Amino acid sequence: MENDSRPAWMSDPLVKDIPEKKLKFVEDLFAKGHGKSQKEMLAFAMPMLKKAKQENLTFTPQEMNAAIAAIRKHSSKDELTQIDKILEKSRNGNSASTPS
């Protein structure tokens, strides 16, 4: 039985192969990160990402791309702007630790 409060993107065919636990993590990350400044976003995201790592909750690039594509597909123009900001902050924060 599906939860009525579940965002539309979580039922999108793009994410059908991603485990529910991972989808809920992405939902929390985007929902709670909405409207935050870069400084606030970093303070918020770091503990969440650490917790995910402790729980062995990792994403393949394909899973992350599929989740982002599904979220974008079901977002308003304002939401897309916010998503782009979150993704840019995420990329900037991870660039130092990304192997070449």
Side-chain angles (χ1 to χ4, degrees), residues 1 6 11 17 24 34-35 52-53 56 65 74 78 86-87 91 99:
M1 189 162 151
R6 185 178 179 175
S11 299
D17 295 327
K24 288 202 177 296
H34 188 76
K53 197 173 194 174
N56 292 323
N65 290 336
H74 295 277
D78 286 344
I86 292 169
L87 293 174
R91 279 192 295 270

PDB file of all heavy atoms in Angstrom, residues 1 6 11 17 24 34-35 52-53 56 65 74 78 86-87 91 99:
ATOM      1  N   MET A   1       0.842  -1.188   0.000  1.00  0.00           N
ATOM      2  CA  MET A   1       0.000   0.000   0.000  1.00  0.00           C
ATOM      3  C   MET A   1       0.883   1.247   0.000  1.00  0.00           C
ATOM      4  O   MET A   1       1.770   1.380   0.830  1.00  0.00           O
ATOM      5  CB  MET A   1      -0.871  -0.032   1.252  1.00  0.00           C
ATOM      6  CG  MET A   1      -1.914   1.026   1.254  1.00  0.00           C
ATOM      7  SD  MET A   1      -3.143   0.519   2.487  1.00  0.00           S
ATOM      8  CE  MET A   1      -3.718   2.081   2.987  1.00  0.00           C
ATOM      9  N   ARG A   6       3.611  10.449  -0.299  1.00  0.00           N
ATOM     10  CA  ARG A   6       4.824  10.149  -1.064  1.00  0.00           C
ATOM     11  C   ARG A   6       4.890  11.040  -2.304  1.00  0.00           C
ATOM     12  O   ARG A   6       3.930  11.130  -3.066  1.00  0.00           O
ATOM     13  CB  ARG A   6       4.764   8.676  -1.467  1.00  0.00           C
ATOM     14  CG  ARG A   6       5.984   8.186  -2.146  1.00  0.00           C
ATOM     15  CD  ARG A   6       5.850   6.719  -2.447  1.00  0.00           C
ATOM     16  NE  ARG A   6       7.063   6.312  -3.127  1.00  0.00           N
ATOM     17  CZ  ARG A   6       7.350   5.097  -3.460  1.00  0.00           C
ATOM     18  NH1 ARG A   6       6.515   4.131  -3.190  1.00  0.00           N
ATOM     19  NH2 ARG A   6       8.466   4.813  -4.068  1.00  0.00           N
ATOM     20  N   SER A  11       7.453   7.462  -7.389  1.00  0.00           N
ATOM     21  CA  SER A  11       6.718   6.417  -8.108  1.00  0.00           C
ATOM     22  C   SER A  11       7.059   6.405  -9.594  1.00  0.00           C
ATOM     23  O   SER A  11       6.470   5.653 -10.362  1.00  0.00           O
ATOM     24  CB  SER A  11       5.210   6.642  -7.930  1.00  0.00           C
ATOM     25  OG  SER A  11       4.878   6.562  -6.570  1.00  0.00           O
ATOM     26  N   ASP A  17      13.834   0.676  -9.737  1.00  0.00           N
ATOM     27  CA  ASP A  17      14.811  -0.323  -9.284  1.00  0.00           C
ATOM     28  C   ASP A  17      15.649   0.141  -8.094  1.00  0.00           C
ATOM     29  O   ASP A  17      16.540  -0.571  -7.652  1.00  0.00           O
ATOM     30  CB  ASP A  17      15.746  -0.699 -10.442  1.00  0.00           C
ATOM     31  CG  ASP A  17      14.994  -1.394 -11.574  1.00  0.00           C
ATOM     32  OD1 ASP A  17      14.030  -2.122 -11.286  1.00  0.00           O
ATOM     33  OD2 ASP A  17      15.371  -1.193 -12.739  1.00  0.00           O
ATOM     34  N   LYS A  24      13.917   7.285   0.177  1.00  0.00           N
ATOM     35  CA  LYS A  24      13.540   8.095   1.341  1.00  0.00           C
ATOM     36  C   LYS A  24      14.692   9.006   1.768  1.00  0.00           C
ATOM     37  O   LYS A  24      14.471  10.147   2.157  1.00  0.00           O
ATOM     38  CB  LYS A  24      13.094   7.209   2.499  1.00  0.00           C
ATOM     39  CG  LYS A  24      11.743   6.572   2.251  1.00  0.00           C
ATOM     40  CD  LYS A  24      11.095   6.155   3.544  1.00  0.00           C
ATOM     41  CE  LYS A  24       9.729   5.584   3.336  1.00  0.00           C
ATOM     42  NZ  LYS A  24       8.761   6.508   2.792  1.00  0.00           N
ATOM     43  N   HIS A  34      15.765  22.277   1.025  1.00  0.00           N
ATOM     44  CA  HIS A  34      15.044  23.305   0.272  1.00  0.00           C
ATOM     45  C   HIS A  34      15.106  24.662   0.974  1.00  0.00           C
ATOM     46  O   HIS A  34      14.780  24.767   2.143  1.00  0.00           O
ATOM     47  CB  HIS A  34      13.583  22.866   0.093  1.00  0.00           C
ATOM     48  CG  HIS A  34      12.820  23.750  -0.831  1.00  0.00           C
ATOM     49  ND1 HIS A  34      12.974  23.699  -2.197  1.00  0.00           N
ATOM     50  CD2 HIS A  34      11.917  24.728  -0.594  1.00  0.00           C
ATOM     51  CE1 HIS A  34      12.181  24.588  -2.752  1.00  0.00           C
ATOM     52  NE2 HIS A  34      11.538  25.230  -1.810  1.00  0.00           N
ATOM     53  N   GLY A  35      15.569  25.673   0.256  1.00  0.00           N
ATOM     54  CA  GLY A  35      15.565  27.042   0.771  1.00  0.00           C
ATOM     55  C   GLY A  35      16.751  27.401   1.654  1.00  0.00           C
ATOM     56  O   GLY A  35      16.815  28.509   2.163  1.00  0.00           O
ATOM     57  N   ALA A  52      24.350   8.244   6.488  1.00  0.00           N
ATOM     58  CA  ALA A  52      24.113   7.324   5.367  1.00  0.00           C
ATOM     59  C   ALA A  52      25.305   6.388   5.205  1.00  0.00           C
ATOM     60  O   ALA A  52      25.132   5.186   4.994  1.00  0.00           O
ATOM     61  CB  ALA A  52      23.869   8.108   4.083  1.00  0.00           C
ATOM     62  N   LYS A  53      26.505   6.929   5.324  1.00  0.00           N
ATOM     63  CA  LYS A  53      27.717   6.117   5.188  1.00  0.00           C
ATOM     64  C   LYS A  53      27.782   5.065   6.301  1.00  0.00           C
ATOM     65  O   LYS A  53      28.121   3.915   6.051  1.00  0.00           O
ATOM     66  CB  LYS A  53      28.947   7.028   5.224  1.00  0.00           C
ATOM     67  CG  LYS A  53      30.196   6.399   4.715  1.00  0.00           C
ATOM     68  CD  LYS A  53      31.305   7.439   4.628  1.00  0.00           C
ATOM     69  CE  LYS A  53      32.450   6.919   3.803  1.00  0.00           C
ATOM     70  NZ  LYS A  53      33.470   7.915   3.562  1.00  0.00           N
ATOM     71  N   ASN A  56      25.784   2.138   5.631  1.00  0.00           N
ATOM     72  CA  ASN A  56      26.154   1.525   4.346  1.00  0.00           C
ATOM     73  C   ASN A  56      25.136   1.837   3.250  1.00  0.00           C
ATOM     74  O   ASN A  56      24.819   0.994   2.421  1.00  0.00           O
ATOM     75  CB  ASN A  56      26.338   0.013   4.492  1.00  0.00           C
ATOM     76  CG  ASN A  56      27.548  -0.312   5.322  1.00  0.00           C
ATOM     77  OD1 ASN A  56      28.568   0.360   5.236  1.00  0.00           O
ATOM     78  ND2 ASN A  56      27.439  -1.330   6.146  1.00  0.00           N
ATOM     79  N   ASN A  65      21.709   9.483 -10.608  1.00  0.00           N
ATOM     80  CA  ASN A  65      21.230  10.169 -11.815  1.00  0.00           C
ATOM     81  C   ASN A  65      19.751   9.907 -12.054  1.00  0.00           C
ATOM     82  O   ASN A  65      19.014  10.818 -12.439  1.00  0.00           O
ATOM     83  CB  ASN A  65      22.060   9.754 -13.038  1.00  0.00           C
ATOM     84  CG  ASN A  65      23.466  10.311 -12.985  1.00  0.00           C
ATOM     85  OD1 ASN A  65      23.733  11.316 -12.332  1.00  0.00           O
ATOM     86  ND2 ASN A  65      24.379   9.652 -13.659  1.00  0.00           N
ATOM     87  N   HIS A  74       9.388  15.982 -12.046  1.00  0.00           N
ATOM     88  CA  HIS A  74       8.167  16.273 -11.288  1.00  0.00           C
ATOM     89  C   HIS A  74       8.272  17.571 -10.491  1.00  0.00           C
ATOM     90  O   HIS A  74       7.531  17.761  -9.521  1.00  0.00           O
ATOM     91  CB  HIS A  74       7.859  15.099 -10.342  1.00  0.00           C
ATOM     92  CG  HIS A  74       7.542  13.838 -11.072  1.00  0.00           C
ATOM     93  ND1 HIS A  74       6.283  13.553 -11.563  1.00  0.00           N
ATOM     94  CD2 HIS A  74       8.333  12.788 -11.424  1.00  0.00           C
ATOM     95  CE1 HIS A  74       6.314  12.377 -12.167  1.00  0.00           C
ATOM     96  NE2 HIS A  74       7.537  11.896 -12.097  1.00  0.00           N
ATOM     97  N   ASP A  78      10.619  26.830  -9.906  1.00  0.00           N
ATOM     98  CA  ASP A  78      11.289  27.265  -8.678  1.00  0.00           C
ATOM     99  C   ASP A  78      12.027  26.101  -8.017  1.00  0.00           C
ATOM    100  O   ASP A  78      13.142  26.255  -7.526  1.00  0.00           O
ATOM    101  CB  ASP A  78      10.290  27.869  -7.686  1.00  0.00           C
ATOM    102  CG  ASP A  78       9.823  29.252  -8.110  1.00  0.00           C
ATOM    103  OD1 ASP A  78      10.477  29.872  -8.977  1.00  0.00           O
ATOM    104  OD2 ASP A  78       8.802  29.710  -7.567  1.00  0.00           O
ATOM    105  N   ILE A  86      21.354  22.970  -4.973  1.00  0.00           N
ATOM    106  CA  ILE A  86      21.763  21.858  -4.100  1.00  0.00           C
ATOM    107  C   ILE A  86      22.811  21.002  -4.799  1.00  0.00           C
ATOM    108  O   ILE A  86      23.834  20.648  -4.211  1.00  0.00           O
ATOM    109  CB  ILE A  86      20.542  21.008  -3.688  1.00  0.00           C
ATOM    110  CG1 ILE A  86      19.623  21.814  -2.761  1.00  0.00           C
ATOM    111  CG2 ILE A  86      20.988  19.707  -3.000  1.00  0.00           C
ATOM    112  CD1 ILE A  86      18.274  21.165  -2.504  1.00  0.00           C
ATOM    113  N   LEU A  87      22.569  20.690  -6.072  1.00  0.00           N
ATOM    114  CA  LEU A  87      23.508  19.846  -6.819  1.00  0.00           C
ATOM    115  C   LEU A  87      24.852  20.541  -6.998  1.00  0.00           C
ATOM    116  O   LEU A  87      25.901  19.913  -6.904  1.00  0.00           O
ATOM    117  CB  LEU A  87      22.909  19.453  -8.169  1.00  0.00           C
ATOM    118  CG  LEU A  87      21.697  18.528  -8.094  1.00  0.00           C
ATOM    119  CD1 LEU A  87      21.101  18.324  -9.472  1.00  0.00           C
ATOM    120  CD2 LEU A  87      22.056  17.207  -7.451  1.00  0.00           C
ATOM    121  N   ARG A  91      28.366  19.115  -5.688  1.00  0.00           N
ATOM    122  CA  ARG A  91      29.532  18.910  -6.558  1.00  0.00           C
ATOM    123  C   ARG A  91      30.740  19.679  -6.043  1.00  0.00           C
ATOM    124  O   ARG A  91      31.847  19.163  -6.019  1.00  0.00           O
ATOM    125  CB  ARG A  91      29.211  19.343  -7.993  1.00  0.00           C
ATOM    126  CG  ARG A  91      28.447  18.292  -8.772  1.00  0.00           C
ATOM    127  CD  ARG A  91      28.417  18.617 -10.232  1.00  0.00           C
ATOM    128  NE  ARG A  91      27.686  19.834 -10.516  1.00  0.00           N
ATOM    129  CZ  ARG A  91      26.395  19.897 -10.770  1.00  0.00           C
ATOM    130  NH1 ARG A  91      25.665  18.805 -10.775  1.00  0.00           N
ATOM    131  NH2 ARG A  91      25.812  21.041 -11.032  1.00  0.00           N
ATOM    132  N   PRO A  99      38.210  11.082  -6.988  1.00  0.00           N
ATOM    133  CA  PRO A  99      39.434  10.655  -7.678  1.00  0.00           C
ATOM    134  C   PRO A  99      39.380  10.993  -9.164  1.00  0.00           C
ATOM    135  O   PRO A  99      38.324  11.033  -9.763  1.00  0.00           O
ATOM    136  CB  PRO A  99      39.465   9.140  -7.473  1.00  0.00           C
ATOM    137  CG  PRO A  99      38.098   8.756  -7.061  1.00  0.00           C
ATOM    138  CD  PRO A  99      37.409   9.980  -6.549  1.00  0.00           C
TER     139      PRO A  99
END
